[in-house]
């Protein structure tokens, strides 16, 4: 019986308290590892981690990193709130003054408009004399007139007579050629206009040429007149164009109703003297006229004596 008991004790092992006895339910669970034959996992600790032996693992707490000390304040931030308000107010005043100055100078150099006509004296008081400007913005001033160039001719007829044609509106002819044409030629758009501007800029108020460019502009206009008159059949059968005469008809562009500006709607004319179709003949005619005027003066002096 003793041997049997010892063998039984050897199989069953000692109890949890080290004494011999039958195994308890806890001892059986530890030996068998649970009902499914696997070892029971140890319970996790508060941090959610467990060691191999089931003992909780201590995790070091995160330490707060001390903030680096901020540097000294500079600029407006270094001022007290009262002085900060004063600095902001000064900056705003300077910005408003700069914007007002730029706006007034802009109106001074800009072309004449509704604002400058109404407040021109205030602009001049600000600009003169310290901020005077001697240049113009958007120069040259956009054209606010319609200029029509017209020509007529003296034609020598086949029977030896002279007749004068009516006025041909060359600008209107160019306008009709441009209307409805998606790709008008450069000649139709600019030839006559540039020739007339060339003449006006190279002649004085008495229509006398200034330098060689003035004579060149007259020759250019003569050629244009002959081409246009021939195209219109101005000479007629057997006729020959002997002299041509230009004139311009200028009308003001009507201003918009909100501007309040009043302009005349009457056209003004600038009529040039008669020109021969060739400069040589024209110079000869001028010399003949000068000789005739000299003869009249001599005759008048002789009669007075």
């Amino acid at each position: 019986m003793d041997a049997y008991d010892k063998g039984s004790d050897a199989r069953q092992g000692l109890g949890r308290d080290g004494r011999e006895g039958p195994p308890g339910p806890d001892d059986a669970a530890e030996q068998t590892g649970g009902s499914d034959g696997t070892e029971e996992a140890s319970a996790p600790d508060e941090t959610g981690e467990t060691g191999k032996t089931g003992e909780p693992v201590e995790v070091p707490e995160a330490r707060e990193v001390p903030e680096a000390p901020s540097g000294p304040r500079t600029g407006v931030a270094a001022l007290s709130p009262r002085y900060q308000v004063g600095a902001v107010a000064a900056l705003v005043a300077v910005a408003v003054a700069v914007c007002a100055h730029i706006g007034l100078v802009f109106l001074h150099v800009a072309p004449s408009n509704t604002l400058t006509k109404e407040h021109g004296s205030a602009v001049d008081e600000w600009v003169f004399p310290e901020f005077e400007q001697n240049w113009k913005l958007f120069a040259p001033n956009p054209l606010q007139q319609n200029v029509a160039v017209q020509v007529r001719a003296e034609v020598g007829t086949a029977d030896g007579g002279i007749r004068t044609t009516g006025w041909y509106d060359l600008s209107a002819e160019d306008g009709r050629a441009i209307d409805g044409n998606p790709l008008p030629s450069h000649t139709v758009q600019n030839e006559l206009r540039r020739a007339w501007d060339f003449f006006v800029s190279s002649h004085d108020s008495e229509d006398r040429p200034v330098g060689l460019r003035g004579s060149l502009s007259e020759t250019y206009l003569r050629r244009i007149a002959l081409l246009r008159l021939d195209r219109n059949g101005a000479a007629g059968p057997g006729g020959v164009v002997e002299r041509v005469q230009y004139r311009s008809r200028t009308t003001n562009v009507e201003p918009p109703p909100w501007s309040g500006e009043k302009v005349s709607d009457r056209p003004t004319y600038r009529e040039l003297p008669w020109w021969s179709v060739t400069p040589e003949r024209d110079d000869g005619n001028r010399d003949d006229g000068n000789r005739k005027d000299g003869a009249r003066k001599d005759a008048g002096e002789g009669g007075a004596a």
Side-chain angles (χ1 to χ4, degrees):
M1 294 297 291
D2 294 338
Y4 177 77
D5 293 338
K6 291 179 180 179
S8 175
D9 292 338
R11 288 194 303 268
Q12 294 177 357
L14 299 176
R16 290 181 74 84
D17 55 357
R19 295 177 298 176
E20 293 183 1
D26 296 336
D27 297 335
E30 291 178 0
Q31 292 178 1
T32 58
S35 58
D36 55 354
T38 60
E39 294 184 358
E40 183 178 340
S42 59
D45 61 354
E46 294 179 356
T47 60
E49 298 181 1
T50 58
K52 295 182 178 180
T53 60
E55 297 179 355
V57 179
E58 295 182 0
V59 179
E61 296 181 357
R63 298 180 179 178
E64 296 182 357
V65 179
E67 296 181 358
S70 59
R73 294 182 178 181
T74 59
V76 180
L79 302 175
S80 63
R82 182 177 59 182
Y83 288 103
Q84 287 181 358
V85 173
V88 171
L91 291 175
V92 171
V94 171
V96 171
V98 170
C99 293
H101 173 72
I102 293 175
L104 291 171
V105 173
F106 174 83
L107 292 176
H108 174 67
V109 300
S112 178
N113 53 68
T114 304
L115 287 176
T116 55
K117 292 178 180 178
E118 185 174 354
H119 306 288
S121 59
V123 174
D124 292 340
E125 289 178 1
W126 176 265
V127 172
F128 294 104
E130 289 84 1
F131 308 112
E132 181 180 0
Q133 305 291 320
N134 58 358
W135 58 281
K136 293 297 181 181
L137 190 64
F138 306 126
N141 190 20
L143 186 64
Q144 300 180 4
Q145 296 175 329
N146 290 324
V147 181
V149 180
Q150 303 172 351
V151 67
R152 65 178 178 176
E154 279 188 356
V155 179
T157 60
D159 57 0
I162 298 292
R163 67 179 179 88
T164 303
T165 66
W167 291 102
Y168 291 88
D169 196 337
L170 305 183
S171 298
E173 293 178 0
D174 289 344
R176 287 191 294 268
I178 294 173
D179 291 341
N181 187 352
L183 297 173
S185 66
H186 178 76
T187 302
V188 173
Q189 297 181 80
N190 299 313
E191 180 186 55
L192 180 64
R193 180 180 61 84
R194 297 294 299 273
W196 184 256
D197 291 343
F198 183 25
F199 173 84
V200 172
S201 62
S202 59
H203 284 70
D204 59 14
S205 59
E206 301 294 332
D207 297 328
R208 292 174 298 193
V210 179
L212 297 176
R213 290 176 60 83
S215 301
L216 180 62
S217 65
E218 293 182 4
T219 303
Y220 190 28
L221 282 176
R222 283 191 185 93
R223 293 179 179 178
I224 293 175
L226 289 176
L227 290 173
R228 299 296 186 90
L229 292 171
D230 182 67
R231 184 186 305 171
N232 290 302
V240 177
V241 176
E242 295 186 354
R243 295 199 304 171
V244 296
Q245 184 183 29
Y246 275 96
R247 76 173 182 181
S248 65
R249 182 179 184 271
T250 304
T251 55
N252 294 317
V253 177
E254 185 178 357
W258 50 263
S259 68
E261 184 179 359
K262 301 297 183 181
V263 297
S264 175
D265 56 354
R266 293 183 178 181
T268 58
Y269 294 88
R270 178 180 180 178
E271 195 168 294
L272 304 185
W274 284 94
W275 294 337
S276 296
V277 294
T278 58
E280 293 79 7
R281 291 183 59 184
D282 188 55
D283 293 340
N285 292 338
R286 289 178 181 175
D287 293 339
D288 292 342
N290 292 335
R291 284 195 293 269
K292 291 178 180 178
D293 292 340
R296 293 192 188 96
K297 291 179 182 180
D298 294 339
E301 292 175 357

